[in-house]
Amino acid sequence: MKESKPTTKIIAGAYKGKVLELPSLDVTRSSKAMLKESVFNVLQFDIIDKIFIESFAGSGSIGLEAISRGAKRAYFIELDKSSYSILLKNCKTVNIEKCQTIQGNAFVQTPLILDFLRNSKDEIVLYIDPPFDYRDGMEDIYDKSFRMIANLESNNIFKIIIEHESKLEVPQILGKFSLEKTRKFGKSSLSYYSYTV
């Protein structure tokens, strides 16, 4: 009997119900539907016409949900080869025209994309979802993520959302950004940052 592949669906919007393939769960942790729903309940119409960047994209399910709900375009950064090929497949399923996929290191590529978009009039939502399992070389993944955010110079970032372990204490201030709120969902939490007023 053929093993069924893990999948998820687009929850709402233009591509509602489209089935997305998920990478093997030992490579990436799929963002649970509950978290995804919560992100878009918070963003609601604020996602329309924004640029969405998903760092550590895995299957791309968050960015593709953003496209379905009216984001102008989405950038996806994923390092793992097999996850990246699934990401590409999912982008083709939804709307490849609005997707820019990059196979590479999120810590290198995210600032490059933001720099590239720096003079754009478009506002950006940045979603960062580092791997939970501390694989070799990943012990300081959250510190590196926080440092990356603290060093961002762009002025057109509307919101930064970090998906992280609930037990992690996230900083109140990261460079130009301050913590608005954290929402917990069992082992996972979402922390929202916006410009410090």
Side-chain angles (χ1 to χ4, degrees):
M1 195 174 99
K2 198 177 166 204
E3 223 178 292
S4 67
K5 288 182 175 161
T7 60
T8 188
K9 280 184 179 170
I10 300 268
I11 302 168
Y15 302 99
K16 182 182 177 179
K18 287 256 187 200
V19 176
L20 305 176
E21 212 176 293
L22 295 173
S24 132
L25 297 178
D26 30 289
V27 178
T28 88
R29 171 185 42 83
S30 159
S31 296
K32 294 186 287 304
M34 203 168 47
L35 262 80
K36 187 159 61 172
E37 196 136 15
S38 176
V39 166
F40 292 99
N41 284 344
V42 169
L43 292 173
Q44 295 201 351
F45 299 113
D46 284 334
I47 195 64
I48 294 169
D49 286 334
K50 299 279 191 296
I51 302 277
F52 197 93
I53 300 174
E54 188 176 1
S55 298
F56 309 97
S59 66
S61 72
I62 303 280
L64 291 168
E65 186 75 37
I67 285 174
S68 184
R69 292 176 189 242
K72 194 174 195 174
R73 67 184 290 107
Y75 289 80
F76 302 88
I77 307 154
E78 176 53 50
L79 186 60
D80 180 75
K81 234 184 208 154
S82 65
S83 298
Y84 183 76
S85 65
I86 288 169
L87 167 65
L88 272 180
K89 203 185 292 182
N90 288 339
C91 288
K92 285 173 186 160
T93 301
V94 174
N95 184 342
I96 194 71
E97 304 287 301
K98 290 189 170 188
C99 299
Q100 179 82 44
T101 61
I102 296 124
Q103 188 181 357
N105 182 326
F107 296 117
V108 174
Q109 296 299 330
T110 308
L112 285 176
I113 293 168
L114 285 163
D115 203 45
F116 170 70
L117 295 169
R118 203 167 161 178
N119 298 319
S120 145
K121 289 184 172 61
D122 296 311
E123 288 189 302
I124 295 161
V125 175
L126 174 59
Y127 191 91
I128 300 174
D129 177 16
F132 273 22
D133 53 330
Y134 299 120
R135 296 195 291 270
D136 288 346
M138 296 216 180
E139 298 76 10
D140 60 347
I141 196 147
Y142 286 121
D143 288 339
K144 281 171 84 171
S145 299
F146 297 149
R147 269 200 308 278
M148 175 174 78
I149 294 166
N151 290 328
L152 294 176
E153 288 298 331
S154 315
N155 291 320
N156 57 341
I157 297 171
F158 172 72
K159 190 95 54 206
I160 297 175
I161 305 161
I162 308 172
E163 187 179 326
H164 58 86
E165 286 182 319
S166 291
K167 64 183 181 193
L168 181 76
E169 191 80 24
V170 296
Q172 287 294 318
I173 303 280
L174 286 170
K176 294 181 176 182
F177 305 92
S178 55
L179 181 66
E180 273 178 23
K181 59 182 167 232
T182 296
R183 299 231 163 125
K184 289 190 178 185
F185 306 85
K187 287 181 181 171
S188 301
S189 285
L190 294 167
S191 288
Y192 293 80
Y193 285 83
S194 56
Y195 280 107
T196 306
V197 180

